[in-house]
Amino acid sequence: MRNREMYAEPYRIKMIEPIKIRDRETREKLIVDAGYNVFNLKAEDVYIDLLTDSGTTAMSANQWAGMMLGDESYAGCRNFFNLQDALKDIMGYQYVVPTHQGRAAENILMSMFVGEGQRVIGNMHFDTTEGHIRMRKAFPVNLVIDEGLDTASDHPFKGNINLEALEEELKNSTPAELPLVIITVTCNSNGGQPVAMDNIRAASSLAKKYKRPLFIDAARYAENCYFIKQRDPHYSNHSVKDIAREMFSYADGCTMSSKKDALVNIGGFLAFRDNEEWYERAVQIQICYEGFRTYGGLAGRDLEALARGLHEGTEEDYLEDRIGQVHYLGRLLTAEGIPIVLPVGGHGVFIDALQFLPHIPQSKLPGQTLAVELYRAGGIRAIELGTCAFGYIDQATGQEVYPQQELVRLAIPRRVYSDRHMRYVADTLIEIGRHKEAIKGMKIIYQTELMRHFTARFALL
Ligand SMILES: *Cc1c(COP(=O)(O)O)cnc(C)c1O
């Protein structure tokens, strides 16, 4: 990747969306009213919104122009065929089943393959994937390599699946016990870490040897392919599109949340390489939950923006700028000694709140405290991925069980913010760091049993 200072954004700005920063006093009041939960803030009251990179992309002029060519026919709209062509071109896949989001594609896939008591293997399943597996009383199994969970490791492909462990699982089970392997690229759950081509190829031959289907969770496939180009010398002269073609050739199909690397605000799909029987089974479920096979819960205009976005998402100047910006923010923070997870992944920077606020023990929610402080100090919204998100109360003992890590994620939307916004985010964190002794931590005053971080309320200590 070239140095960030050696190039500028590969686009210019045709339309702007004003954002406002509320004054400090107003922010203090708004966050109290929100019960100190940033999910309860109105988006209008946020200056820089780094809650997620999902569905927050700025579309291009070409995508907006495509939306005017939306064909809203119930069956056989032209935009569906454009989407089909995009998938054949980029992924080499024959069959596409559009859905309203990535999780809807997962629902169809799991309905087809997964039943009670089975194990579904992955490098690290995303939360909605886990949810769909657990809903069927099956078990999600994560086999990411040890380096993938070690924040001190600078392994270039921390999303890799442990191949020995994968073979053990496959060897010691029948297809009725273990029906499916899923590789998530990039690996969202450990910070957008890439998976190597060699790893996917080897996982694919194991899946073939033991006759199990392999699917890719492709939400951030283009970012993954860009990392392969940067980090695997064998691919440095390959185009991202060629890398994508090869990567997808090792799988039987994929699910995708288009809200990530397909550069649109809504949509998803399930795709199959060549298995027509699977495709027809999927369409049966799609018709029940999503809609007819050529629209799957999306408008024709959405399908067109998606088809165009898939192509744009593989353009290398775009990817260099996008991942370059995430890494630029990472460098600004490490230069000031702010502890983040390294190496920085594809879609966000993760602050280690336990190290940043060492005087606040995990029981006093340093991650959530930092997320709140980011809003109070700078109008910035980030998400806690620590005790609130992953901790829980053990029903037997009544004790809180703490996760290994206490992180705050700054997810960077695609093509939305400038490097000056990144500078502002870094400066806000530096400023918080200067006065951190005054920050005391928080406690939960209301919570639900499941997914409490969305609805919990807090009080300052
Ligand atoms: C976002 C995401 C999903 C779910 O997609 P939605 O469009 O949010 O339903 C699945 N897997 C990964 C890796 C994701 O990042």
Side-chain angles (χ1 to χ4, degrees), residues 22-267:
R22 309 284 182 233
D23 59 38
R24 171 110 198 184
E25 202 181 317
T26 309
R27 297 199 298 272
E28 299 273 3
K29 183 177 174 315
L30 290 168
I31 195 74
V32 173
D33 294 347
Y36 293 104
N37 187 332
V38 297
F39 282 102
N40 292 334
L41 291 169
K42 286 187 181 151
E44 277 184 342
D45 294 326
V46 175
Y47 178 46
I48 298 181
D49 202 344
L50 307 183
L51 194 62
T52 175
D53 65 320
S54 179
T56 51
T57 299
M59 292 207 299
S60 67
N62 183 47
Q63 287 176 291
W64 281 108
M67 289 191 76
M68 291 306 292
L69 301 175
D71 168 353
E72 307 306 341
S73 308
Y74 191 92
C77 74
R78 77 170 85 87
N79 317 106
F80 170 77
F81 298 103
N82 293 343
L83 175 62
Q84 215 176 30
D85 288 344
L87 259 82
K88 281 181 190 156
D89 181 38
I90 296 167
M91 302 175 166
Y93 288 172
Q94 296 297 310
Y95 299 108
V96 58
V97 181
T99 59
H100 75 278
Q101 281 198 210
R103 64 197 69 188
E106 293 171 348
N107 182 35
I108 298 175
L109 182 72
M110 301 302 168
S111 300
M112 292 172 64
F113 288 103
V114 179
E116 193 169 334
Q118 297 178 333
R119 293 162 75 76
V120 180
I121 308 295
N123 49 346
M124 252 178 127
H125 298 295
F126 181 66
D127 356 1
T128 58
T129 322
E130 283 217 16
H132 280 291
I133 295 169
R134 287 192 196 282
M135 261 175 63
R136 289 167 176 82
K137 298 198 166 63
F139 305 99
V141 181
N142 293 332
L143 298 180
V144 73
I145 55 170
D146 292 341
E147 292 89 334
L149 298 175
D150 175 3
T151 46
S153 160
D154 61 358
H155 192 290
F157 293 102
K158 286 170 88 167
N160 281 358
I161 191 166
N162 180 330
L163 294 164
E164 289 82 50
L166 173 63
E167 178 148 31
E168 277 300 300
E169 285 279 354
L170 292 169
K171 194 161 62 186
N172 297 319
S173 62
T174 63
E177 291 161 343
L178 192 168
L180 185 63
V181 180
I182 299 173
I183 300 217
T184 302
V185 299
T186 55
C187 187
N188 184 350
S189 304
N190 70 348
Q193 299 292 336
V195 184
M197 188 74 91
D198 295 344
N199 191 254
I200 297 171
R201 190 185 304 115
S204 169
S205 45
L206 286 173
K208 278 201 186 74
K209 179 172 166 193
Y210 294 97
K211 300 197 167 51
R212 314 298 159 84
L214 171 74
F215 278 77
I216 291 179
D217 178 339
R220 298 184 183 80
Y221 80 94
E223 290 171 7
N224 199 85
C225 292
Y226 189 74
F227 278 119
I228 289 175
K229 184 180 169 104
Q230 296 301 312
R231 296 183 182 175
D232 182 344
H234 180 74
Y235 289 95
S236 57
N237 292 321
H238 288 53
S239 71
V240 164
K241 267 199 170 159
D242 285 344
I243 295 171
R245 259 299 185 107
E246 179 180 343
M247 185 177 82
F248 284 109
S249 77
Y250 297 129
D252 297 290
C254 72
T255 56
M256 173 140 185
S257 167
S258 315
K259 301 170 72 173
K260 289 38 173 266
D261 277 0
L263 306 181
V264 289
N265 305 119
I266 197 72

Side-chain angles (χ1 to χ4, degrees), residues 345-416:
H347 65 280
V349 175
F350 293 65
I351 305 164
D352 185 334
L354 274 177
Q355 275 189 52
F356 188 54
L357 302 173
H359 58 292
I360 303 181
Q362 217 167 359
S363 59
K364 296 184 178 166
L365 314 176
Q368 183 63 22
T369 304
L370 181 56
V372 164
E373 209 51 43
L374 270 163
Y375 182 72
R376 288 164 47 140
I380 298 160
R381 180 155 66 171
I383 190 173
E384 188 252 23
L385 295 174
T387 299
C388 301
F390 303 124
Y392 58 93
I393 294 173
D394 187 320
Q395 294 303 323
T397 63
Q399 298 290 310
E400 180 82 33
V401 180
Y402 294 99
Q404 259 182 2
Q405 292 181 350
E406 190 75 21
L407 304 177
V408 173
R409 182 182 76 178
L410 307 167
I412 313 299
R414 296 165 180 78
R415 306 192 291 207
V416 170

